[in-house]
Amino acid sequence: MKKLLFYAFLWSGIAAPAQTPPDGQARLVNATTGNSGQARPLDELLVVNAKGLTLTVVDGAGKEYFRAAVSPVITFRAGGALGSHTVRTIDQKGKTTDLFTFDLDAKTSIDDSGYYKSMFDLIHRGLEGSAADGSEVAWNGKTYRYFVPWILDHCQTMKGQKYFKGYGAELIDLLRETQRADGMIYSFVQYMDNADYFLTRDKFTGYSKKIGDRVFVRQPTENHPEYLYVNTIYQCWKADGNDAWMQKNLTSAAKALDYALHDSARWSKRFGLLKRVYTIDSWDFAVEDEYMPDLGITNSMIIDPVKSKFGVFFGDNTGYITACRELAEMYTHAGRLEEAKRFAERTKEISDHLNRLSWNGQFFTHFIDEDSTVVRKLGVDEKSQLAQSNAYSLNRAIRPDQKKAIIETYLQLKNNLPVGSPGEWYAIYPPFQKGFGGHNEIWQYMNGGVGGHVGGELALGAYTSGYEKYGTDILHRLFELGKKYDDKIWFAYTGSILPAPAPPVFKPLDLTPYANMDHWDRGGDSAFTWMNAQRKGDDLRHLPVGEQVFAGIRFQVIDPAKNKRKSVVAVSKQKGFPGAVEIPVNDTAGAVYLLHTSTKPTSENVAGAVIFVYADGTRRVHYMIMDKQLTYWWFSALQTDHSGVAWYGKNEVTEGAGLSWCAIDNPEPGKVIQKIILQSPEDRGIYTVLGLSLSDKAHYVPVKPTSFGGPDNWAAAIAMSALVEGLAGVKNAPGAQAYSTAVVAPRWASSKTDSVQVCIRYAASNAYVAYQYQHYPKEKLIKLVLTGGGEAMQGHVLLPEVARSVAVVSKDGQALPFRLASTPEGARYADFSLGNALPAEVVIQYN
């Protein structure tokens, strides 16, 4: 027995006594952590030197989950309900002889000591990476916390944050209190400084309103806040099991869903479906084409119920259908069956309408105009476009055959990606060529950007639709992108990156006839000294001369010794300097490159100007802005897409002196440039050019692989959802809340690991599930040690591909009834039920 105790301590990593405690005192030891007063689910605890006849362990809910005869060393696993656990020994008379307590607590974690722990950690860090809009808002003297202050972003981010932060319901409380009389839900509570913009924009519509001491805004183009409001209520209830809070929201939720059917700007009588103006998926900016009416300020974000052209976007409807189904479930749970029936019937009716209109056999068609005479000219076959809400619809109330078809469509796209694409998880594909400009240029953000958040939804849908390997493949690729770009999963990536063009052909111009300054402090009778230098040696004497390549650009630098000390073209308002110098060109160019610098400007940072004069007499002016196109020649530092430090050296006075390069794309590349005029600044500054080169093509800026728009913590949250519910496989059973009955569906057989520890907790409650998964391929055996805080657990364990059948499933050494389940795609699962969630060891032996 002494030997057993020694090995138990040795395994735990804490100091092992040479023998049982010599004082004979009974002790409780956490062999996993060494902290006897605290434990995590499935930690191994030891009771040493116990006295009495029987030992029992009772969980935080008062339920006994371990009983054993007293022996010198007794081992048990912590589990059951969280809270204070009691370890008690009793003698033959039922009298307590020893009493210990420890606190059981759980935090969400996934740990394989390797790849998946790193994946979990990266995604978890990304959950905290929201925009600088804070995390709470004060309204009428009360503070409400949120993940993002928009109901859209908050709902999506909660999919991951609910495992770490328990205040997802607070934004719902705020939006319920400010719900408009007709049921409308505001898109967000004002958190920026430009509330007057929204009040001006929506002055006559009521979409923006000051309520109490805050402004609440409904983005007029959106038709999703109401269903997302209900989705979020449902998520909160599933996480905390708070029936009273859920029932408090039912009337408001029904009112919100009814609003969409009764507002003329939200409901299509023709199609019997939700409608909106033409946007990219569910975003809040409308297409700018010939059908957009002039409504005033920011036409693309406002609507007119009469003048605007509306149509059906399928994502509004799959989301709404799901919200109706969720509300029906909540009404049923509350015993309000008539209301439940009303929303269940609405679910079926709208589903039928949507499927007839939008389902094309492979995916849902992005947008269908109400007015059949509307013919959009957006540079793309709109019927071929795969929009991101198809991925989101995989986890909504659509048919299994539709899920399969959508996944197959994404798999086909994966095998036929555009050049330089990071993945098939597009916001929309192919992108629009017209109609969406500004911050939605092609292959960026919503117009053909690849969404990290889309990848997460697609992965989760793949896991639950029989495409387990595909789900895991997506998570792997998201993780690898995260490691590659700033240690996070981005909301959007550039959707296609073409190979870099051939290097430009440079043609340096000869500035010898126009030079008037020395780049040394010498100067001469006909040459200015460098920058009117007042200190001897304060110049650029170490600058290489002749043909040089700086930052990959060919320049011809004049040797002042060979040109009467004239090596620089200088312009200034100072006495003796020319105010402008004309350089003949008589050639075409894609871009012009300058090797230049200046004194520090005294006003508006304008150092000078470069003027293109074309053969047809037209002109284009480009102002040279300090720290944008050039930098001061002392301690030069500059880096933009079109400029940088070309040369850096030292002189007799300073250890750092340099010159900038700057690329100016020719705005009229088809025209012959007659001449370039170098213009002085209006103050007394000196602008200098030491090299000027033409290029046969525009300046190439490498495309950034990451895009922009949308909070990155949204993308992290969706990935966390896929990792928790999909790969780790922990979720509520149908009809359950707060893991009262939990489904444990580990899909690690599709992964790189055979051993992992998982603990998943809803932060808003004590609800949790924990398990240790171990696969022994040689023995054809899977072992699960699992527990939770609920009443029961259902196992749904993915078997490895080599498994053809299951020989036996046992619980704690006793045979357990099981069922072999198969998906249409050929995956096999071992299904079983446990009558409670107390610590248990389940072994699956497969053939």
Side-chain angles (χ1 to χ4, degrees):
M1 190 56 64
K2 295 178 183 177
K3 192 172 184 180
L4 171 63
L5 180 61
F6 173 80
Y7 283 124
F9 276 90
L10 183 65
W11 172 80
S12 72
I14 60 177
Q19 56 185 16
T20 54
D23 56 12
Q25 183 179 352
R27 293 178 184 173
L28 174 69
V29 178
N30 188 326
T32 304
T33 68
N35 184 350
S36 299
Q38 301 287 332
R40 304 164 305 185
L42 300 179
D43 276 357
E44 198 164 73
L45 281 78
L46 311 176
V47 179
V48 182
N49 281 344
K51 301 176 181 65
L53 181 67
T54 306
L55 179 143
T56 64
V57 186
V58 174
D59 71 8
K63 184 180 296 184
E64 181 183 301
Y65 66 93
F66 182 80
R67 175 179 287 263
V70 169
S71 61
V73 179
I74 305 170
T75 303
F76 68 94
R77 292 185 182 275
L82 302 182
S84 179
H85 286 217
T86 302
V87 181
R88 185 189 307 272
T89 57
I90 55 177
D91 61 16
Q92 290 178 330
K93 297 180 180 181
K95 181 180 178 181
T96 299
T97 52
D98 291 304
L99 181 67
F100 309 98
T101 62
F102 64 91
D103 290 326
L104 183 70
D105 197 12
K107 293 182 179 180
T108 297
S109 64
I110 295 176
D111 188 357
D112 68 332
S113 300
Y115 188 82
Y116 296 97
K117 182 181 188 305
S118 297
M119 178 188 291
F120 174 86
D121 290 344
L122 181 142
I123 296 171
H124 186 201
R125 288 192 298 271
L127 287 174
E128 306 306 314
S130 60
D133 51 29
S135 58
E136 63 183 35
V137 61
W139 178 70
N140 286 2
K142 186 176 179 180
T143 298
Y144 299 82
R145 292 172 292 177
Y146 51 70
F147 303 128
V148 184
W150 295 64
I151 184 59
L152 169 62
D153 307 51
H154 179 83
C155 178
Q156 301 301 337
T157 305
M158 187 177 173
K159 291 178 180 178
Q161 283 284 30
K162 63 189 173 188
Y163 302 112
F164 306 95
K165 294 181 179 179
Y167 50 77
E170 294 185 21
L171 185 64
I172 292 296
D173 292 335
L174 177 60
L175 294 177
R176 185 186 64 248
E177 293 298 321
T178 56
Q179 185 176 20
R180 207 166 70 173
D182 62 358
M184 188 195 79
I185 298 296
Y186 288 99
S187 299
F188 63 92
V189 56
Q190 182 61 30
Y191 59 96
M192 300 174 286
D193 295 329
N194 59 342
D196 289 345
Y197 160 76
F198 295 101
L199 292 173
T200 299
R201 184 192 71 178
D202 303 326
K203 186 174 183 179
F204 303 108
T205 63
Y207 286 132
S208 294
K209 185 176 181 181
K210 191 171 189 297
I211 307 173
D213 53 4
R214 288 279 172 176
V215 171
F216 291 80
V217 178
R218 170 59 175 257
Q219 286 294 75
T221 55
E222 294 181 346
N223 202 359
H224 54 246
E226 288 72 35
Y227 81 71
L228 289 164
Y229 176 68
V230 177
N231 292 161
T232 309
I233 294 171
Y234 185 79
Q235 275 200 84
C236 293
W237 176 54
K238 287 293 178 178
D240 64 19
N242 188 337
D243 288 349
W245 180 86
M246 178 270 286
Q247 293 184 44
K248 181 179 179 180
N249 288 285
L250 289 178
T251 299
S252 172
K255 192 175 179 181
L257 293 184
D258 286 345
Y259 160 77
L261 274 65
H262 299 149
D263 190 287
S264 62
R266 309 298 176 200
W267 183 251
S268 170
K269 290 184 178 179
R270 177 186 176 192
F271 293 127
L273 293 165
L274 275 69
K275 72 179 184 181
R276 65 162 63 202
V277 292
Y278 200 126
T279 63
I280 300 180
D281 204 87
S282 63
W283 243 236
D284 56 359
F285 35 79
V287 65
E288 298 185 46
D289 63 5
E290 64 268 36
Y291 297 107
M292 173 175 282
D294 185 3
L295 303 176
I297 184 172
T298 57
N299 288 340
S300 66
M301 287 192 173
I302 56 179
I303 62 173
D304 183 289
V306 176
K307 296 179 181 179
S308 297
K309 293 291 186 181
F310 292 89
V312 169
F313 159 57
F314 75 92
D316 287 337
N317 290 277
T318 60
Y320 186 88
I321 290 163
T322 303
C324 287
R325 179 175 288 185
E326 291 169 347
L327 185 54
E329 181 184 335
M330 290 188 283
Y331 267 130
T332 299
H333 188 85
R336 297 167 63 174
L337 301 184
E338 284 301 315
E339 290 102 324
K341 180 181 178 183
R342 178 163 70 96
F343 284 97
E345 290 175 348
R346 188 179 298 179
T347 297
K348 183 179 185 308
E349 181 180 356
I350 296 179
S351 293
D352 290 344
H353 293 173
L354 180 66
N355 289 335
R356 283 198 296 270
L357 179 70
S358 185
W359 179 250
N360 65 18
Q362 297 175 297
F363 53 86
F364 290 101
T365 304
H366 175 229
F367 191 90
I368 298 169
D369 275 290
E370 269 192 310
D371 184 348
S372 60
T373 67
V374 170
V375 179
R376 306 278 182 181
K377 302 179 183 67
L378 304 178
V380 65
D381 176 8
E382 297 166 65
K383 291 183 179 179
S384 73
Q385 287 181 298
L386 180 65
Q388 69 178 32
S389 282
N390 278 284
Y392 277 77
S393 296
L394 291 172
N395 303 304
R396 295 174 178 171
I398 65 173
R399 302 192 310 258
D401 64 292
Q402 292 175 319
K403 295 182 180 184
K404 174 180 171 60
I406 290 171
I407 293 172
E408 289 291 341
T409 299
Y410 276 104
L411 284 168
Q412 184 178 6
L413 178 55
K414 179 190 175 187
N415 295 326
N416 296 277
L417 289 173
V419 175
S421 169
E424 65 276 17
W425 326 302
Y426 282 92
I428 196 161
Y429 179 84
F432 294 97
Q433 301 297 310
K434 302 175 183 177
F436 295 96
H439 65 301
N440 274 284
E441 57 263 30
I442 298 170
W443 302 121
Q444 300 299 325
Y445 191 20
M446 293 300 293
N447 192 20
V450 169
H453 64 106
V454 184
E457 282 287 344
L458 183 57
L460 180 58
Y463 280 123
T464 56
S465 301
Y467 290 79
E468 294 83 1
K469 289 182 68 175
Y470 183 39
T472 301
D473 168 65
I474 294 171
L475 280 182
H476 287 174
R477 287 185 284 146
L478 282 171
F479 180 39
E480 295 304 322
L481 283 171
K483 290 191 292 182
K484 190 174 182 180
Y485 302 118
D486 298 332
D487 200 33
K488 68 176 182 179
I489 296 173
W490 284 66
F491 183 84
Y493 299 87
T494 299
S496 178
I497 301 176
L498 297 175
V505 176
F506 294 105
K507 182 187 289 186
L509 298 183
D510 183 9
L511 300 182
T512 300
Y514 317 103
N516 55 13
M517 176 184 279
D518 195 348
H519 67 261
W520 287 54
D521 64 0
R522 293 183 184 181
D525 293 338
S526 59
F528 301 106
T529 58
W530 172 248
M531 294 295 190
N532 286 336
Q534 301 299 309
R535 288 174 290 192
K536 185 172 180 59
D538 189 9
D539 54 28
L540 299 180
R541 64 181 63 196
H542 297 296
L543 175 70
V545 297
E547 185 168 301
Q548 302 293 329
V549 177
F550 297 131
I553 308 160
R554 283 178 57 219
F555 289 108
Q556 187 69 38
V557 180
I558 300 169
D559 183 348
K562 297 179 180 179
N563 194 41
K564 299 180 181 179
R565 305 307 307 173
K566 298 176 182 179
S567 57
V568 181
V569 180
V571 291
S572 177
K573 297 292 185 182
Q574 292 186 31
K575 184 178 180 180
F577 283 85
V581 172
E582 297 183 358
I583 312 295
V585 178
N586 297 313
D587 203 347
T588 58
V592 171
Y593 289 82
L594 299 161
L595 181 66
H596 60 168
T597 189
S598 82
T599 55
K600 290 185 177 180
T602 59
S603 175
E604 305 302 328
N605 266 353
V606 179
V610 175
I611 304 171
F612 288 51
V613 180
Y614 297 98
D616 63 2
T618 57
R619 298 158 63 98
R620 290 292 190 96
V621 179
H622 298 267
Y623 292 100
M624 298 295 104
I625 307 301
M626 182 63 68
D627 298 325
K628 186 175 181 181
Q629 278 84 25
L630 75 168
T631 185
Y632 184 54
W633 60 282
W634 263 47
F635 314 127
S636 303
L638 181 68
Q639 185 175 2
T640 77
D641 287 340
H642 287 79
S643 62
V645 175
W647 174 83
Y648 196 79
K650 60 182 179 179
N651 61 31
E652 310 308 300
V653 175
T654 177
E655 292 298 311
L659 294 172
S660 312
W661 67 268
C662 166
I664 305 175
D665 286 336
N666 183 1
E668 303 282 356
K671 292 183 179 181
V672 173
I673 304 171
Q674 183 186 65
K675 58 186 174 182
I676 289 175
I677 301 174
L678 306 179
Q679 183 76 47
S680 72
E682 290 300 312
D683 59 17
R684 291 179 56 79
I686 304 173
Y687 175 56
T688 63
V689 174
L690 291 83
L692 196 159
S693 292
L694 307 181
S695 166
D696 66 335
K697 53 177 64 73
H699 178 67
Y700 174 69
V701 178
V703 178
K704 293 180 180 178
T706 54
S707 191
F708 44 80
D712 296 324
N713 60 343
W714 173 345
I718 304 301
M720 182 62 74
S721 173
L723 182 58
V724 169
E725 295 189 23
L727 185 55
V730 176
K731 61 190 300 184
N732 282 304
Q737 299 81 43
Y739 296 143
S740 55
T741 298
V743 174
V744 181
R747 298 181 175 91
W748 299 105
S750 68
S751 77
K752 301 178 180 181
T753 188
D754 285 325
S755 178
V756 63
Q757 299 185 64
V758 172
C759 183
I760 308 299
R761 179 180 179 178
Y762 285 131
S765 65
N766 283 335
Y768 83 94
V769 170
Y771 68 79
Q772 296 171 355
Y773 172 94
Q774 186 73 52
H775 177 215
Y776 301 91
K778 292 182 178 180
E779 291 80 5
K780 299 177 183 176
L781 181 147
I782 294 172
K783 183 171 79 172
L784 273 177
V785 181
L786 67 172
T787 189
E791 298 300 318
M793 305 179 86
Q794 297 175 0
H796 182 61
V797 182
L798 178 66
L799 301 174
E801 287 185 325
V802 297
R804 290 293 172 264
S805 63
V806 172
V808 66
V809 176
S810 65
K811 175 193 172 186
D812 297 329
Q814 301 296 315
L816 183 69
F818 70 91
R819 183 175 71 90
L820 183 65
S822 299
T823 70
E825 302 310 309
R828 292 179 175 86
Y829 286 83
D831 288 359
F832 55 87
S833 295
L834 301 178
N836 58 55
L838 301 178
E841 181 178 283
V842 174
V843 175
I844 302 168
Q845 186 77 55
Y846 61 85
N847 298 312

